[in-house]
Amino acid sequence: MFHHVKELQFNARVSKPDVRFAKLLLEQFGGPNGELKAAMQYFVQAFGCRKPHPDKYDMLMDIATEEFSHLEIVGATIQMLLTGVNGELKNAADESDLTKVLDGKTAKETYIHEAMINPHFFIVSGGTPTLTDSVGNPWSANYIMGMGDLTADLRLNIGAETSAKMVYENLMKFTDDVYVKESLRYLMTREVAHFQMFQAALDSIQPNFPPGILQSDPKYSNKYFNMSKGEDFKGDWNEGKSPLLGEEWQYIDDPLQHVRDTDGLLDERAKGTPRTEESVQTANKKLSAKRKALVDNATAPKNGVMSWSVYEDEEKLKSTEKKENLTNHSINN
Amino acid sequence: MFHHVKELQFNARVSKPDVRFAKLLLEQFGGPNGELKAAMQYFVQAFGCRKPHPDKYDMLMDIATEEFSHLEIVGATIQMLLTGVNGELKNAADESDLTKVLDGKTAKETYIHEAMINPHFFIVSGGTPTLTDSVGNPWSANYIMGMGDLTADLRLNIGAETSAKMVYENLMKFTDDVYVKESLRYLMTREVAHFQMFQAALDSIQPNFPPGILQSDPKYSNKYFNMSKGEDFKGDWNEGKSPLLGEEWQYIDDPLQHVRDTDGLLDERAKGTPRTEESVQTANKKLSAKRKALVDNATAPKNGVMSWSVYEDEEKLKSTEKKENLTNHSINN
Amino acid sequence: MFHHVKELQFNARVSKPDVRFAKLLLEQFGGPNGELKAAMQYFVQAFGCRKPHPDKYDMLMDIATEEFSHLEIVGATIQMLLTGVNGELKNAADESDLTKVLDGKTAKETYIHEAMINPHFFIVSGGTPTLTDSVGNPWSANYIMGMGDLTADLRLNIGAETSAKMVYENLMKFTDDVYVKESLRYLMTREVAHFQMFQAALDSIQPNFPPGILQSDPKYSNKYFNMSKGEDFKGDWNEGKSPLLGEEWQYIDDPLQHVRDTDGLLDERAKGTPRTEESVQTANKKLSAKRKALVDNATAPKNGVMSWSVYEDEEKLKSTEKKENLTNHSINN
Amino acid sequence: MFHHVKELQFNARVSKPDVRFAKLLLEQFGGPNGELKAAMQYFVQAFGCRKPHPDKYDMLMDIATEEFSHLEIVGATIQMLLTGVNGELKNAADESDLTKVLDGKTAKETYIHEAMINPHFFIVSGGTPTLTDSVGNPWSANYIMGMGDLTADLRLNIGAETSAKMVYENLMKFTDDVYVKESLRYLMTREVAHFQMFQAALDSIQPNFPPGILQSDPKYSNKYFNMSKGEDFKGDWNEGKSPLLGEEWQYIDDPLQHVRDTDGLLDERAKGTPRTEESVQTANKKLSAKRKALVDNATAPKNGVMSWSVYEDEEKLKSTEKKENLTNHSINN
Amino acid sequence: MFHHVKELQFNARVSKPDVRFAKLLLEQFGGPNGELKAAMQYFVQAFGCRKPHPDKYDMLMDIATEEFSHLEIVGATIQMLLTGVNGELKNAADESDLTKVLDGKTAKETYIHEAMINPHFFIVSGGTPTLTDSVGNPWSANYIMGMGDLTADLRLNIGAETSAKMVYENLMKFTDDVYVKESLRYLMTREVAHFQMFQAALDSIQPNFPPGILQSDPKYSNKYFNMSKGEDFKGDWNEGKSPLLGEEWQYIDDPLQHVRDTDGLLDERAKGTPRTEESVQTANKKLSAKRKALVDNATAPKNGVMSWSVYEDEEKLKSTEKKENLTNHSINN
Amino acid sequence: MFHHVKELQFNARVSKPDVRFAKLLLEQFGGPNGELKAAMQYFVQAFGCRKPHPDKYDMLMDIATEEFSHLEIVGATIQMLLTGVNGELKNAADESDLTKVLDGKTAKETYIHEAMINPHFFIVSGGTPTLTDSVGNPWSANYIMGMGDLTADLRLNIGAETSAKMVYENLMKFTDDVYVKESLRYLMTREVAHFQMFQAALDSIQPNFPPGILQSDPKYSNKYFNMSKGEDFKGDWNEGKSPLLGEEWQYIDDPLQHVRDTDGLLDERAKGTPRTEESVQTANKKLSAKRKALVDNATAPKNGVMSWSVYEDEEKLKSTEKKENLTNHSINN
């Protein structure tokens, strides 16, 4: 259940209207790396965690709710940057009296020029934010991701925070308004904070590589195919040890010949790795059983009915118990 | 600023998993008439009201926040309906041990059949809701509307509540789960409640027809063009008085001839209406001035800076003053 | 079956080319509130009315066809505003001879600048309208709505007319061309006319609230949840009587506590309303039976075949009968 | 200006309801190769032809209007195939009395199963067609194309007719209803008819290859790059003469070596072609001048105003003159 | 299997940065008529040809791979046109030192103005191409088409080449950079070359009209409906013989009357054509059997397994055999 | 420049047709986590690296090209799974002879049932893959991301590999075909390999946190806001040290009160961190200068022209030099 208070989480302010920056800032209101994307991604992922991972659920909902609050900050800033637009549109009757809209400019020509910056502000939304990116693409749920597995979802969230941080960094170059910059810097910093929260949560789950349950096939996990010829380089990504499995990279310089030699890789063999098909199967079964049991135990219906919430007093009791259980759980997940 | 508490606004419960109904229910999670659409529509519209219409802002944010809370109810219900899917996916290693997923069914064939109902649940989201409609279309900001004018926005919101109500009504036919029906009925009823709130708010603004500022041209406002021939009918929509302006409908039986006779309607004349070009201009100017002043006064920067929030103690004081001012305001808006 | 005549319904004219206004006007050609949206929405809704509601079918097709005719007016105006673009693009060979494109401007720099206004006009559509909104989003069927129920659909149509009216009102501020303004005002006025037609049609159906068949649950239909704290206001939407059901609004000041006190609203009781569960069920059954019978009777196959049209002479006879039947029907629907 | 008559262009009939085929048939109602796509593509292209190419405008509007009429046939057929769905949804109150929906099936299980076929029909549109393809993707203006040049547009239209024909051919395999097949065969045949109309119109414009104005560069117009190795084939597309320019195909067996040898094709030379840079430039200039003049002359404003239509009597006179002029025009365009 | 070499197929060069032209050029990187569309369309179509039509598969993959290489040329050109953008964004810290970004311009105002041209370049992609069209619409698979039938697919590909050619032709008017023009002209020419390859391949398949298998119904294949009245014209598309079937066009001047007279065309009769229902059925069966056998024979599993590739030596042998078989095949397909 | 060889990178095989699994597998052909997404994401990111980061360019193009090759494997597998569909569609004429399509099933009912699984395969693509996900959403460039900064892009790529791995893991549960499983396991493993390559490349860039240039504000970088109440948990994400900056988490239990106490966080102070505003500014300037210089130096035009490729012999020389330079570069980037 959500609540709202009318004060913003951050005291967003604006010096003067600026339709151009309002347009750019839309990127973080309704764009693919923006606040709504983050809020909805964590909110949607959280449903699956509610029962089996209440600690991660708590974190995801804390951050999702903060992102909704940031969405409000961004929207409020855009609204203030658009001051004057709505009032001028209400001045619909008397065209001979076209007075200043923004920043002391007076001519109709200027007014039309402003409208070209983002027609939606002027002829559709009437001077309020639109749920689009900076060029007008409507927000799409294509932007949000979740795989029903925390070792995957937390990594996707790190990606989301990464790109959101970049957009704020870029945006700061396009305004001189110290108040607006102040808000942008706050918002950018919070992405850095969330990044670390997700990283810490990911680290608390072991094993967390590879994401999901199944191990990779040792025949193919450390091959590097040189598919782009000319100016070839070596680096830690194709020589030495792979960073997570610690296998020795195998550089395949001529992939076509290699593929032909191995009957389309069917005859490939594992090399440079201690892992075997047997060790893989063992690991798969062990992790599979453990994770399945965790989910099934937590979500099994009780007394023929499933419910989401326990209200009030029972709540407090249960919460205390849960926290104790969680200590192990986070370590072993 | 948003807050979240972990209890749902309504105690949503589910008897047993049901992937098929989970699929249908997605329509209200990520569909065009669903809870996210409503929540985001009112939330986005609210930005423009914050200063000039604080009472309507309060209402919009009350309802938007409730809709977010309903989105959570719908998502929680889908999650419970999908119980078993995530656990079974974790069972990734041991294929010979494919046990029951849902409802006592045991064979792989059945499992694959379930996956066909909505592949996203099984291979993408890992048994959690997806932000799509019931056939998998991603939620799109194309669904939300707002024109920066309350006489328009409130009507659009009535439309949103209307269609949301219909989908819940339809959904109820497709489940026998009494707990699920209970939640659906609650959610359907709230759409009816919100419908009336928006209607009341619209009625409190006078004049509210036509939406926006400008009056219609009396030459064209009461013409009915009979553009579809054969089985023509008369009704209150083309004979007698028009319901809002009270003009006499003029039925144009042969539009082509009429258009030719009037040089493409340029020679059209007003008929069946007391309104004149002069009365229209007067009304336009009056309303234009009034509404513009209201917005401009409320949004003008103070001391060279615009801010959104006043924190804490000042807040309480200001709120008291505002409410007094509002009494007139609602009447005169 | 559609027909076309080459004269426009309104004698649209343009003084001189204006690429910028052509861009803005696209909003009503291929935008979410534009003419195609309206035309297609009414056209699609009409299929379901053909048999059970021939009078509403007639009205929907009259208005849909007029909207197609308006789409043509908007497109023709854009085409005239783009005069010169296509010709200049044909001038593909001789770059040294780059002459004026639009409005007496001569330099290549100007030409490129024009192209930036809307690249689609210059490099894709070759100087013709594109089926997009003013920033280039392709028209999407996400814009159209219909629920298979006239008490819902007519309300959605009122919303569609509302937003279309607003966009025309806004557009008028961005052109000085008296001919273009003339067309815009005509088009704006027709939205006001259609609004009233839909309202009249809705009023002719009783009962029409709530939309659809099912009554709301009296336990939840008049509750107002104060979900957004700070600067709370009272108004007709949360105190006094609800405007359509006439129930007494119940203001819930602290929703969280209320939800906890009522076990997630499960223990909620009806208050401030004469409606009871029993009266609701009675109303549901009565309306359900009536509306179902109306539809089923009208759509039942005859002699093992369903057909859409009766051609020519039979047509005239049937039409006369139908009209007589309709008198009751409109009142009782 | 459009008109509508309530009779369909083709007497579409249906034997009995069939939700599954209704779903498939949506492909031609709101799908990328369907009737709306065709109608809108020709309608939008027509704007640019109105003045410079009145004969092609006439043809495009004739076919566009027929396609709208076909859209109506497809929609009517879907509506009839869905008979029963709307009535059953109106039966919202009495769940114990769930009677047959479609085809004599009676159980709720069956009803839910039907809903899975296309949830939109049951919970969103209430038993009417939706403007989507067969899997629910909303119709998008991405489907329509037009380049502002008849030698291009007519080819795109041939493509549109081609794919529409294929879908009808495929659809016929999925229904046994002789009435439905009858309609499908009519619709399929009309695509073949339109294909030939567009081909004839294209042939009447000379030169029409390449599309547009500019000639291709003889250095690169007849090279064939063998970019995919293994099982290479020769055919008329890479040996002998090219079908439209009549140049000798040059087969480049080792593109990488060739590119290196020619400094990235900068040093490429024309071979196997009589065309030269000079002949190309001459052709470009000639065609450029001719086509530009045609457009500019036809679209130039007269007396300081552009208009689209001439009403009534003047119309008839002008039409007679125009036709005489057209005789040359079609040949020389 | 794909390979990449780091040299471009064409030696693309750029004189100086130009954000505006970079924006326009996006149309061919991520737009509906651009290089990715072409590459993916042919690539996807090719799968179905692999077995039954290895010669056409070879051609489709040759051209698809060239289009991927052209996509790289376009992207490289955009990247060079954006030189300076990424570097300046890295200059994130020191705002007082805002130096020139592009083309010697120095002020922040100019920088912001540049950002308005395409905000994505500056705040999202950091100075690299985005996979959108020139106004920012994300590339969509809606752009690609394929019907599983070469007589249809090759025609669709001719359409694709047609529109791509037009966009390059238009683009050339908006840059003075001789190096960029050089690349554009190369790319435009290749579309003309591919057009002819597809035409030649289509011609090699007989019969290839109508596309697909089924013949058109002679009752409807040569009717021309005069659906748009006023200024009607005659031309090869509605009088004389139809260009592909050679039937006599039947001009229906008053479609409504005609439809009424024929009971909705049910009573229509073939006229002006030697084709009969019997000849149509014979042709259908013959072609159906031939094409089905070709596909089925080529795709039947062998020894209980289907495979895509034969590696290395067997490959060479098989290829030789195949080519011999193809000689007939191309002629008779 | 790309090349293609007709052998697949992996010898994909299929036992027997399976339309259902073909539908599921579409998720990795045209879905948001699939092969095309990966290929295009790395390909597009690579443009910006070409000059300043040739080693990362090499890696990105190696992996992008491998992903295109995987796209081909997935498409080939779908094509084989659809064996029979195209042949049966060619059997268009003789309906009385409807023979088996797939897996020995013979009745028309079965055939229609198959079509319901994915109508696109049967009525649109004619038995070839479609560029959509498993429920038919067209592939969209919304899926690809790139920020013009390697410390961001490589993290986004790790996210891409993560989700692709998960989908393959999930898919394996839905087929019994050992050949298909073999291919899926190979493809899944390669995602794990690529994950590690991107991680290694990221590690080779120092500093790489936070992504981009700008440091976070120490006032806000280590605050944890408890925005979701009830069942609150502590973990490494809100107590102890943050994992990347090593700051002490500050847990804000009552965010509303905190925000009010700090005037909307304006009065917030850094706590639990050694970082200061001064240290932040120093770090910003240093990194800013370094990264800007790297990009600017690498991309500056030479001799008034920018080019992308050096062909042939010069190439080899340059490559040798570059590699030497890269040793430092990778360390210092």
Side-chain angles (χ1 to χ4, degrees), chain C residues 123-124, chain D residues 147, chain E residues 21-39 67 70-75 78 130-135 139 160-172 184 187-188 191:
Chain C
I123 58 174
V124 179
Chain D
M147 313 303 299
Chain E
F21 195 71
K23 173 190 172 118
L24 294 183
L25 193 47
L26 280 178
E27 196 69 37
Q28 294 299 76
F29 190 69
N33 310 301
E35 299 293 353
L36 182 59
K37 175 250 172 69
E67 302 286 21
H70 292 176
L71 182 68
E72 191 184 20
I73 293 169
V74 174
I78 294 171
T130 54
L131 204 54
T132 66
D133 72 0
S134 60
V135 301
W139 194 87
E161 297 295 339
T162 295
S163 49
K165 193 270 182 184
M166 290 304 299
V167 179
Y168 281 123
E169 175 171 321
N170 292 340
L171 279 168
M172 272 190 270
L184 295 176
L187 293 165
M188 182 190 80
E191 313 298 4

Side-chain angles (χ1 to χ4, degrees), chain A residues 126-168:
Chain A
T128 58
T130 54
L131 205 55
T132 67
D133 72 358
S134 59
V135 301
N137 290 304
W139 193 88
S140 162
N142 278 335
Y143 304 153
I144 73 167
M145 302 181 76
M147 313 304 299
D149 186 285
L150 277 170
T151 63
D153 289 0
L154 293 167
R155 284 182 168 99
L156 293 169
N157 298 354
I158 287 169
E161 297 295 337
T162 294
S163 49
K165 194 270 183 184
M166 291 304 298
V167 178
Y168 281 122

Side-chain angles (χ1 to χ4, degrees), chain A residues 104-280:
Chain A
K105 288 159 188 163
T106 59
K108 181 144 195 175
E109 176 63 20
T110 303
Y111 190 51
I112 294 172
H113 185 77
E114 293 279 353
M116 288 297 122
I117 290 168
N118 181 2
H120 282 172
F121 285 155
F122 289 79
I123 58 173
V124 179
S125 80
T128 58
T130 54
L131 205 55
T132 67
D133 72 358
S134 59
V135 301
N137 290 304
W139 193 88
S140 162
N142 278 335
Y143 304 153
I144 73 167
M145 302 181 76
M147 313 304 299
D149 186 285
L150 277 170
T151 63
D153 289 0
L154 293 167
R155 284 182 168 99
L156 293 169
N157 298 354
I158 287 169
E161 297 295 337
T162 294
S163 49
K165 194 270 183 184
M166 291 304 298
V167 178
Y168 281 122
E169 176 171 321
N170 292 340
L171 279 169
M172 271 191 271
K173 290 192 73 74
F174 297 96
T175 178
D176 283 327
D177 188 323
V178 291
Y179 296 122
V180 173
K181 273 180 185 298
E182 193 177 57
S183 301
L184 294 175
R185 197 178 180 218
Y186 164 72
L187 292 165
M188 183 191 80
T189 292
R190 293 307 295 161
E191 313 298 5
V192 178
H194 297 159
F195 182 118
Q196 295 183 89
M197 293 170 199
F198 290 129
Q199 185 67 57
L202 178 61
D203 294 343
S204 77
I205 302 170
Q206 292 303 332
N208 67 26
F209 187 84
I213 301 288
L214 296 179
Q215 302 301 304
S216 58
D217 185 334
K219 291 204 297 290
Y220 308 119
S221 57
N222 59 344
K223 259 73 182 181
Y224 186 96
F225 292 89
N226 177 28
M227 309 289 277
S228 174
K229 302 292 170 54
E231 292 195 271
D232 296 325
F233 292 90
K234 292 291 175 67
D236 296 341
W237 50 90
N238 57 21
E239 68 180 2
K241 285 203 181 307
S242 68
L244 289 127
L245 293 176
E247 299 171 318
E248 196 76 26
W249 289 118
Q250 309 293 313
Y251 190 92
I252 297 170
D253 191 50
D254 185 344
L256 176 56
Q257 192 56 49
H258 184 80
V259 161
R260 287 180 172 165
D261 291 347
T262 56
D263 192 21
L265 299 178
L266 291 183
D267 302 337
E268 187 69 272
R269 292 170 181 250
K271 206 172 140 190
T273 173
R275 297 194 305 134
T276 64
E277 183 61 22
E278 194 175 45
S279 73
V280 160

Side-chain angles (χ1 to χ4, degrees), chain B residues 5-251:
Chain B
V5 294
K6 294 190 179 66
E7 291 125 308
L8 297 176
Q9 194 200 7
F10 185 86
N11 193 349
R13 295 173 294 174
V14 162
S15 299
K16 61 172 192 293
D18 182 349
V19 174
R20 295 189 304 180
F21 195 72
K23 173 189 172 118
L24 295 182
L25 193 47
L26 279 178
E27 196 68 37
Q28 293 300 74
F29 190 69
N33 310 301
E35 299 293 352
L36 182 58
K37 175 249 174 67
M40 290 308 299
Q41 180 158 309
Y42 313 149
F43 174 71
V44 171
Q45 289 174 357
F47 286 104
C49 296
R50 179 74 165 109
K51 302 279 171 166
H53 309 288
D55 57 338
K56 302 304 185 308
Y57 176 79
D58 180 45
M59 181 193 68
L60 285 168
M61 287 307 301
D62 280 338
I63 303 180
T65 309
E66 188 180 347
E67 301 286 21
F68 278 123
S69 302
H70 292 177
L71 181 68
E72 191 184 19
I73 293 168
V74 174
T77 303
I78 294 170
Q79 184 68 43
M80 292 187 282
L81 290 166
L82 293 177
T83 297
V85 175
N86 188 264
E88 191 56 34
L89 287 169
K90 298 293 182 222
N91 187 21
D94 191 355
E95 302 169 43
S96 62
D97 185 34
L98 245 183
T99 50
K100 69 163 179 163
V101 183
L102 302 162
D103 198 17
K105 290 161 187 160
T106 59
K108 183 144 193 173
E109 176 62 20
T110 302
Y111 190 51
I112 293 173
H113 185 77
E114 293 280 351
M116 288 297 122
I117 291 169
N118 181 2
H120 282 171
F121 286 153
F122 288 80
I123 59 174
V124 180
S125 79
T128 60
T130 55
L131 206 52
T132 66
D133 72 359
S134 59
V135 301
N137 290 303
W139 195 88
S140 162
N142 278 335
Y143 304 152
I144 75 166
M145 302 184 75
M147 313 304 298
D149 187 283
L150 276 170
T151 63
D153 290 0
L154 292 167
R155 284 184 168 98
L156 294 169
N157 298 354
I158 287 169
E161 298 295 339
T162 295
S163 49
K165 192 269 182 184
M166 290 304 299
V167 179
Y168 281 123
E169 176 172 322
N170 292 340
L171 280 168
M172 272 190 270
K173 290 192 76 71
F174 297 95
T175 177
D176 283 325
D177 189 322
V178 292
Y179 295 123
V180 173
K181 272 181 185 297
E182 191 177 57
S183 300
L184 295 176
R185 197 176 178 220
Y186 164 72
L187 293 164
M188 182 190 81
T189 292
R190 293 306 295 159
E191 314 298 5
V192 178
H194 296 159
F195 182 118
Q196 294 184 90
M197 294 171 198
F198 291 130
Q199 185 67 57
L202 178 61
D203 293 343
S204 77
I205 303 171
Q206 293 302 332
N208 68 25
F209 187 84
I213 302 289
L214 295 180
Q215 302 301 303
S216 58
D217 185 334
K219 290 204 297 291
Y220 308 118
S221 57
N222 59 345
K223 259 73 182 182
Y224 185 96
F225 291 90
N226 177 29
M227 308 290 277
S228 173
K229 302 292 170 53
E231 292 195 90
D232 296 325
F233 292 90
K234 290 294 173 68
D236 296 342
W237 50 90
N238 57 20
E239 68 179 2
K241 286 203 181 307
S242 68
L244 290 125
L245 293 176
E247 297 172 319
E248 195 76 25
W249 289 117
Q250 309 292 313
Y251 190 91

Side-chain angles (χ1 to χ4, degrees), chain D residues 279-300:
Chain D
S279 74
V280 160
Q281 291 305 336
T282 305
N284 283 351
K285 279 181 193 163
K286 191 172 149 199
L287 189 56
S288 207
K290 175 177 160 189
R291 295 269 164 91
K292 180 181 192 310
L294 178 65
V295 172
D296 284 354
N297 292 342
T299 58

Side-chain angles (χ1 to χ4, degrees), chain C residues 1 8 14 72 90 149 311, chain D residues 1 8 72 90 149 311:
Chain C
M1 185 180 183
L8 296 176
V14 162
E72 191 184 20
K90 299 291 182 224
D149 187 284
Y311 290 86
Chain D
M1 186 180 183
L8 296 175
E72 192 184 18
K90 297 292 181 225
D149 187 284
Y311 289 87

Side-chain angles (χ1 to χ4, degrees), chain A residues 1 8 14 72 90 149, chain B residues 1 72 90 149 306 311:
Chain A
M1 185 180 183
L8 295 176
V14 162
E72 191 184 20
K90 298 290 183 225
D149 186 285
Chain B
M1 186 180 184
E72 191 184 19
K90 298 293 182 222
D149 187 283
M306 288 174 275
Y311 290 86

